[in-house]
Amino acid sequence: MRGPPQILVSTFVVLPVGIDVQPEPHRFQIGLVPSDNTRSRVTLTFAQSIDAKIAGTGGRQLFLSGEESMKMTHWMRTMHDGIFIGVGTAVNDNLQLNGARPVIVSTCITIHPINRSISAVRLLPFPAQNTHFQYYHHPRPIGVGVSPWVISAPPPKIEGFFASEDHGEKLQRWEARRDVLQAASATVILVEPRQYVHPDLPPATSNLPPRAVLRSLREEGIHSVMVEGGARVIQSFLSERLADALIVTTSPVLGREQIPSLEYIQTELFGRDILVALKLLS
Ligand SMILES: NC(=O)C1=CN([C@@H]2O[C@H](COP(=O)(O)OP(=O)(O)OC[C@H]3O[C@@H](n4cnc5c(N)ncnc54)[C@H](O)[C@@H]3O)[C@@H](O)[C@H]2O)C=CC1
Ligand SMILES: Nc1nc(O)c(N)c(N[C@@H]2O[C@H](COP(=O)(O)O)[C@@H](O)[C@H]2O)n1
């Protein structure tokens, strides 16, 4: 493939008049700076089935994209300064994330399976076994890894009715987890957690505030991020209207497992609609 696919050129690339598309990804400038230039620009992207699933039952990773659209996704990664995912995805998928600096958003504020772990080694399985870390430590011809950044916030001290008596312990666990990540080459970037509205109300969300996250990334020199998921990250970015562009791959499969197998027939564009034809196999 010579240069990025046309859809990415149309969406992102700003070229001076008369200049042809060049094959080196780093020569492209991402167009469309965000209106608020104190934060990184966001491309929100994910792959879904025709019944709008991005993951299988129990969060099982779905391999939705075909060869060509996965290549397109890899191209898109190289056109951004960072690839952004939630810790749910980092732990669930054995991802490579090649092409740009991976940025993982992770919080210890409320219960997450990772936070429940006691042992420092299990606090985040990501560094030890993940393919991306393996590339970083043992670069291979298919892609040299870049050490990941993890954005986090220490557990805040909650006062009032919902005060956590074990705050000291939680903080210690968070520090141990941070040390494990740093020892495995990750850079940990801190952001201010959300402020709770009232001390007598339970914390509404464990999420780190996306806008503050994007501001700190911009301060670190990340001008554009490709936000890949997972479900909760997509939801929180969309609900705060933090997407400058949206690229969605729709694959001709059904995500629901109880549906019998389907034979793929054809995909065709009708104007701006995508028509997918499938045959139900009895
Ligand atoms: N089809 C696709 O394109 C993709 C699918 N996936 C799938 O998504 C699933 C994982 O999704 P989730 O479990 O929802 O995890 P997630 O990857 O969305 O991570 C959520 C976690 O990130 C942390 N977080 C911190 N700040 C946050 C914020 N502002 N918004 C949201 N989360 C924040 C929290 O600890 C939260 O529990 C996996 O099954 C994975 O295979 C993931 C990426 C792409
Ligand atoms: N575009 C796309 N298509 C799919 O079918 C997917 N499952 C995903 N998921 C995202 O890509 C990551 C895995 O890709 P690499 O192994 O790094 O190439 C996965 O973790 C999700 O972020 N995306």
Side-chain angles (χ1 to χ4, degrees):
M1 192 189 293
R2 187 180 171 272
Q6 188 52 46
I7 187 168
L8 301 185
V9 178
S10 317
T11 313
F12 302 127
V13 178
V14 180
L15 288 171
V17 178
I19 303 289
D20 273 346
V21 167
Q22 299 293 316
E24 300 89 347
H26 61 268
R27 297 191 57 166
F28 297 114
Q29 289 291 318
I30 295 274
L32 307 171
V33 285
S35 48
D36 168 10
N37 67 4
T38 60
R39 65 161 173 87
S40 302
R41 181 184 184 282
V42 174
T43 303
L44 192 65
T45 175
F46 55 90
Q48 63 169 16
S49 60
I50 46 173
D51 55 343
K53 302 270 180 238
I54 72 155
T57 315
R60 190 176 54 83
Q61 184 179 12
L62 288 180
F63 295 95
L64 295 157
S65 299
E67 197 187 332
E68 296 85 352
S69 68
M70 205 62 216
K71 266 191 198 146
M72 183 280 299
T73 301
H74 287 169
W75 247 113
M76 202 167 19
R77 287 178 181 169
T78 66
M79 297 167 88
H80 293 78
D81 293 336
I83 312 159
F84 187 106
I85 51 162
V87 69
T89 300
V91 171
N92 193 67
D93 301 359
N94 187 27
L95 61 184
Q96 307 170 60
L97 294 186
N98 46 349
R101 182 179 295 285
V103 179
I104 300 156
V105 66
S106 169
T107 176
C108 292
I109 297 171
T110 57
I111 302 161
H112 182 279
I114 293 164
N115 305 336
R116 287 203 206 108
S117 319
I118 308 294
S119 125
V121 181
R122 285 200 60 234
L123 286 173
L124 193 50
F126 186 61
Q129 298 115 21
N130 178 264
T131 312
H132 174 78
F133 265 95
Q134 285 172 23
Y135 284 162
Y136 177 67
H137 291 294
H138 311 285
R140 295 165 195 196
I142 53 167
V144 177
V146 182
S147 70
W149 289 359
V150 178
I151 306 187
S152 191
K157 197 162 170 40
I158 300 170
E159 308 287 357
F161 184 77
F162 288 95
S164 47
E165 284 163 14
D166 60 347
H167 178 256
E169 262 174 53
K170 276 188 183 158
L171 189 60
Q172 269 183 3
R173 285 206 295 272
W174 181 87
E175 285 167 348
R177 181 176 153 196
R178 178 201 56 198
D179 295 347
V180 169
L181 287 166
Q182 285 172 334
S185 79
T187 301
V188 177
I189 297 171
L190 299 182
V191 292
E192 281 293 315
R194 273 185 211 282
Q195 293 302 311
Y196 298 122
V197 197
H198 194 283
D200 294 335
L201 294 176
T205 172
S206 66
N207 294 342
L208 299 175
R211 203 171 282 278
V213 167
L214 293 174
R215 263 202 306 271
S216 32
L217 283 176
R218 179 66 191 253
E219 279 162 19
E220 298 289 339
I222 301 271
H223 289 249
S224 60
V225 279
M226 174 166 150
V227 176
E228 288 207 33
R232 273 171 280 183
V233 163
I234 293 168
Q235 181 57 41
S236 79
F237 273 72
L238 279 178
S239 65
E240 303 221 4
R241 303 181 70 81
L242 279 172
D244 300 286
L246 198 62
I247 304 251
V248 182
T249 303
T250 304
S251 302
V253 294
L254 284 164
R256 258 173 292 179
E257 275 137 56
Q258 69 270 31
I259 303 215
S261 346
L262 298 161
E263 187 190 342
Y264 170 67
I265 310 288
Q266 199 178 336
T267 306
E268 202 166 324
L269 272 185
F270 278 82
R272 57 174 209 176
D273 302 329
I274 308 161
L275 259 65
V276 182
L278 303 155
K279 216 188 256 176
L280 219 73
L281 298 177
S282 49

